[in-house]
Amino acid sequence: MPNEAANEEQTFLIGLLRATYQNQELYPILQDNLTKLNNNLALILRKWVSDRFTKEPANAINIARVIVKLSTTIQSFEQGNPAINLEIAIAGYEVVLHIYNRETFPKESNIVQQALVTAYQQRQDTLSKTLGELQQQTVQTQTQIKIVTEQLQQELQQANLQFKDLNTIIRHFKQQEISSDSTSLITELHDLKQRQIRLEEFTNTANELPKIEKFNTAIFYDIENLTMGRNEPNLNFSLKQIQTDVEKVGMVNKIAIQCAYADWSDSRLRLLKNQIQELGIEAVQIFDYSHKRNAADMQLAIDVMELAQSRPTLEVFVIVSGDGAFAALAKKLHEYGKSVIGCAYEGQMNRVLKSVCDRFLPIPAPQAKTEDIQVTEVTEDNLLNDEIFVKTNKILQELQQNSQQASQLQKAGIPMSQIHQILKNNIPNFDEKQKKYNSKFTNFIKIIIEESNTSLDISNNKLIWREKLNQFLIAHQKNLSKV
């Protein structure tokens, strides 16, 4: 049935695009299909347009014009859920910006950028209004609790006074041996005791009413890091379990935002679709037409910094990735007074990132395939005392000091095959010495990078300069401060 529903929504989307292209009136169509204007439609819109841009590059401009027109119409559509309408419009604006670049289409790019800014502002206004209503409801609830508590306390005080008066009267009648009246007074005293007990129970119940918690947490999933690369992605992890572990942390009240970054056009990631929809996670599409490395890391960092500045109610940021490049992002969040929780596979989180996070949540490491299980464990003591570690680390440092190779590390990166050849040329019998650790070459270099705390990193099978993300964050912060 989920596949049938998805097909219906895609058919509805194609019908909308066809009507837009033919200049038909869209409002009647939208009014008749309010239930199909949902968050899943925004995801389908991103996926469908991405596929069209890839398969029909010659027709991309015409498709982009139709998408902009449709997004503008849905943005101004007042029926249904305004917040969801905005998300669908934003999805359309964001996806066409990959075609309307500033160099080739400056006018169109500017128009879409302005529309996107307006949509962002409307989204923020809607969320602020919702937050204000929740805060008002919280104040009203707490006021009612306070009034009821005060009334109960007053009644309890009166009951205590009456109880004392009755005790005095009983003692007086006992002294005069008036047994009949004494019996009735004792009965009344018993009833009064029961009333006192009930009032005390009501007071305790009122004091124990749960406080309304605020939405103070945002979670950002680096899917490529969780799948451990693109070549043979590992899907043996549970987003539900990660969310559950985060909710157990004391500083976390309620989760306001969840974003997962990946190239969702990869058919192998379809297995995650049910988890994404069930948990209400926003699937952020990362376009990689030019095979730019760290595209997901860059977009994740941009979104985190924008939310840190625009959403003061967000106090806790959860980064689900072991990539050491995010250490700079965590430090920057601390400057804004935010708390950072790191979450990654056990033993695979960069130690610098782990040290700057306020909390670390380990994810159980996936079971290795039989052919990948290592016989010899590579430990820090093995490497630090081994000639192959010292020589390899020295050569990596020399790469950073060489002006030509340093420039290549900063711009495009050096392929791991070329690094392998450099080490073979400079270290006699390198392959034989390295193989004693029973580790693949790339994993061997990763271990050396982590243990030596160098500024290098590995991405897309290339050796890169990790400081590039930190420089990008600083530049992006300057741009935001100008705005």
Side-chain angles (χ1 to χ4, degrees):
M1 295 303 293
N3 291 333
E4 182 179 347
N7 291 334
E8 289 180 0
E9 291 173 344
Q10 182 165 331
T11 302
F12 171 62
L13 172 62
I14 295 174
L16 277 180
L17 294 172
R18 183 180 295 110
T20 304
Y21 177 74
Q22 296 173 353
N23 294 322
Q24 297 181 20
E25 181 64 35
L26 294 183
Y27 281 175
I29 301 176
L30 297 175
Q31 291 170 353
D32 294 338
N33 296 275
L34 292 178
T35 58
K36 295 179 182 177
L37 296 177
N38 51 42
N39 287 323
N40 194 40
L41 183 63
L43 179 62
I44 292 175
L45 175 60
R46 292 180 187 272
K47 175 66 170 57
W48 186 88
V49 176
S50 173
D51 291 343
R52 291 302 95 194
F53 285 169
T54 303
K55 296 177 181 178
E56 304 177 21
N59 200 29
I61 301 302
N62 293 330
I63 295 175
R65 291 194 184 100
V66 174
I67 297 302
V68 171
K69 186 175 180 180
L70 175 60
S71 298
T72 303
T73 302
I74 294 180
Q75 182 180 357
S76 60
F77 185 58
E78 297 180 353
Q79 298 188 32
N81 189 323
I84 292 179
N85 294 345
L86 267 179
E87 293 305 320
I88 297 172
I90 289 173
Y93 292 141
E94 288 179 343
V95 76
V96 300
L97 281 179
H98 296 279
I99 297 299
Y100 284 156
N101 56 71
R102 292 186 179 276
E103 291 77 13
T104 310
F105 301 97
K107 180 179 178 181
E108 290 81 357
S109 176
N110 184 48
I111 292 174
V112 175
Q113 288 280 6
Q114 291 179 354
L116 194 54
V117 169
T118 301
Y120 284 154
Q121 291 174 344
Q122 290 177 348
R123 175 204 274 168
Q124 183 172 352
D125 292 341
T126 300
L127 292 176
S128 299
K129 181 180 179 181
T130 303
L131 179 60
E133 292 174 352
L134 288 174
Q135 290 175 339
Q136 185 177 2
Q137 293 176 3
T138 302
V139 172
Q140 292 175 351
T141 302
Q142 292 177 344
T143 302
Q144 293 174 356
I145 292 173
K146 183 178 179 181
I147 293 173
V148 172
T149 303
E150 291 175 351
Q151 291 175 347
L152 290 174
Q153 289 175 346
Q154 290 176 359
E155 291 186 20
L156 183 60
Q157 290 176 356
Q158 293 176 358
N160 285 331
L161 291 174
Q162 293 177 5
F163 179 73
K164 291 179 180 178
D165 292 342
L166 286 173
N167 268 330
T168 303
I169 294 173
I170 289 173
R171 285 195 300 269
H172 175 71
F173 280 113
K174 277 185 177 181
Q175 292 174 359
Q176 296 182 358
E177 296 181 352
I178 305 178
S179 58
S180 59
D181 292 340
S182 172
T183 302
S184 62
L185 287 173
I186 291 174
T187 302
E188 186 177 351
L189 178 61
H190 176 74
D191 294 339
L192 190 58
K193 282 185 177 180
Q194 294 298 322
R195 182 184 177 190
Q196 182 183 16
I197 292 173
R198 288 196 299 270
L199 286 173
E200 289 177 348
E201 290 177 350
F202 290 150
T203 302
N204 293 334
T205 301
N207 291 332
E208 293 174 359
L209 285 175
K211 297 181 180 178
I212 298 178
E213 299 177 333
K214 61 181 179 179
F215 293 83
N216 73 332
T217 302
I219 306 178
F220 301 87
Y221 302 87
D222 182 358
I223 297 298
E224 185 173 342
N225 189 272
L226 284 174
T227 60
M228 305 177 72
R230 302 183 184 180
N231 293 335
E232 295 181 4
N234 160 60
L235 300 177
N236 187 25
F237 58 85
S238 171
L239 297 176
K240 175 64 175 178
Q241 186 59 49
I242 293 173
Q243 185 188 88
T244 301
D245 291 342
V246 170
E247 291 173 339
K248 292 179 182 178
V249 178
M251 67 181 73
V252 174
N253 289 336
K254 288 188 176 182
I255 298 172
I257 297 173
Q258 295 189 83
C259 298
Y261 298 80
D263 182 4
W264 295 105
S265 61
D266 189 338
S267 59
R268 295 171 296 181
L269 299 183
R270 290 178 181 173
L271 296 176
L272 300 178
K273 180 179 179 181
N274 289 337
Q275 290 190 66
I276 292 289
Q277 293 178 339
E278 178 185 353
L279 301 176
I281 300 173
E282 179 182 356
V284 180
Q285 172 65 35
I286 300 301
F287 294 93
D288 200 14
Y289 297 126
S290 57
H291 302 286
K292 295 179 179 178
R293 55 185 176 79
N294 288 339
D297 295 357
M298 295 295 187
Q299 186 62 49
L300 189 154
I302 290 174
D303 292 348
V304 168
M305 291 306 298
E306 288 182 348
L307 288 172
Q309 292 185 332
S310 62
R311 306 285 182 85
T313 56
L314 291 180
E315 300 171 347
V316 182
F317 288 77
V318 184
I319 301 174
V320 184
S321 176
D323 194 335
F326 289 122
L329 178 61
K331 294 177 182 178
K332 191 61 63 176
L333 286 171
H334 284 160
E335 294 179 13
Y336 284 90
K338 310 297 183 181
S339 299
V340 182
I341 298 176
C343 185
Y345 290 120
E346 292 179 319
Q348 295 191 19
M349 185 172 189
N350 178 270
R351 62 179 182 176
V352 178
L353 174 57
K354 184 176 182 179
S355 67
V356 298
C357 288
D358 301 289
R359 287 288 301 274
F360 169 67
L361 300 178
I363 303 173
Q367 295 183 351
K369 297 179 181 178
T370 305
E371 60 270 19
D372 293 337
I373 296 178
Q374 306 300 326
V375 178
T376 303
E377 181 181 4
V378 179
T379 66
E380 183 175 352
D381 291 338
N382 295 142
L383 289 171
L384 292 177
N385 298 323
D386 199 323
E387 175 190 12
I388 187 70
F389 170 82
V390 176
K391 290 185 177 181
T392 302
N393 187 37
K394 180 179 179 181
I395 293 174
L396 294 181
Q397 291 178 353
E398 290 174 351
L399 292 177
Q400 295 175 268
Q401 297 171 359
N402 182 286
S403 58
Q404 180 178 356
Q405 292 171 328
S407 176
Q408 189 176 357
L409 287 170
Q410 290 177 334
K411 293 181 180 179
I414 301 178
M416 293 302 295
S417 59
Q418 186 176 341
I419 298 296
H420 184 221
Q421 190 61 47
I422 292 174
L423 294 175
K424 288 179 61 177
N425 293 340
N426 290 273
I427 302 177
N429 300 321
F430 171 78
D431 286 338
E432 288 73 12
K433 295 179 180 179
Q434 181 259 330
K435 285 180 180 178
K436 72 179 181 180
Y437 290 103
N438 293 316
S439 177
K440 297 179 180 179
F441 175 70
T442 301
N443 293 336
F444 176 75
I445 297 299
K446 282 184 178 179
I447 295 171
I448 292 179
I449 290 175
E450 291 176 357
E451 296 301 335
S452 61
N453 195 20
T454 181
S455 59
L456 297 174
D457 207 341
I458 297 176
S459 178
N460 292 343
N461 206 29
K462 290 183 179 181
L463 191 66
I464 64 171
W465 202 300
R466 185 190 303 161
E467 293 180 353
K468 185 171 183 181
L469 179 57
N470 191 17
Q471 295 169 356
F472 176 80
L473 283 175
I474 295 174
H476 181 68
Q477 182 185 9
K478 292 180 179 179
N479 292 333
L480 288 176
S481 62
K482 292 180 181 178
V483 175

